Amino acid sequence: MRVIEHPTEMQLFSNNIRQTHQSIGFVPTMGYLHQGHISLLDAARQQSDQVVLSIFVNPTQFSPGEDLSVYPKDLPKDLDIAEKAGVDIVFTPTDKDLYGDHYQTYVQLKQLPNYLCGIHRPTHFQGVATVVTKLFNMVKPHVAFFGEKDYQQLAVIRQMVQDLNFDITIIGCPIVRESDGLAMSSRNVYLSKEQRQTALILSQSLYRSQQKVTKGITDAETLINEAKKDIESLPETRIDYVRICNKDTLEDLPEVMMDGLMALAVHVGRTRLIDNRILTREYCTVKA
Ligand code: AMP
């Protein structure tokens, strides 16, 4: 496994790989790797000849007052995990490498960032779309892997790849959870023991909502209000949003007809957590 820091060296490596007709699978991350990241690396390993992992805490996707300065980091541990996961290249550019003096180009989507997290983090998806574009131009992957944990991010990337004609296949990978249901996240390390317990309400609300839909309660407002009540009953919680929306456009749905994405963002103490689940309505098939 090789560690590459400089963008030009990364491009040179990828050009050489492409000349040998090997495929490049790419997993972009902000590091502090956990099993969720490893699941993406495993998928990349299975589907490509060379696996590139990037570790970069992207400043342009954080707003002032968010956790950029304290975002958890442990490069030696990440390198160990990456090696065990069969990564070929770890790409670790610096802020200066990516956003040098006089930087002025950003990628902005018109519609998808206007929902869910985008409402509460208005510059976030511009930062994501910009850094992913830049990383794609440096790593030159054939396939790139993203987690459904960040559902809106995945939707933004898919749209951007289509709109800007990137010749890259985007693969979405399922959410990896702790055994008690908590979605894995680098930010879980911020939680105290009590907050960690409270945080279970996110996955529990999603699970309970699916149970209600199965029982025939499909009105979005009812489902959302009940989930909000459960969340607000716990200490140290502050809801950013609980929504049920179209899984492609992210527009609010009044009712779960066939299916719908239930997505939520909740602060537990100072930690902002997100989770989501596709709610599906199970139809009874009536024999003629
Ligand atoms: P991050 O380092 O948090 O920016 O995440 C890097 C990638 O890992 C993104 O595509 C995330 O969606 C994905 N990811 C993070 N947590 C999980 C998880 N629990 N399950 C699956 N993918 C995840």
Side-chain angles (χ1 to χ4, degrees), residues 3 37 142 154 170 184 193 221 232:
V3 179
H37 299 116
H142 297 85
L154 176 57
I170 303 299
M184 290 199 185
K193 203 165 156 237
E221 199 179 321
E232 282 164 348

Side-chain angles (χ1 to χ4, degrees), residues 214-228:
T214 305
K215 281 190 199 145
I217 304 166
T218 56
D219 175 60
E221 199 179 321
T222 307
L223 294 164
I224 289 168
N225 285 342
E226 288 178 7
K228 281 185 171 171

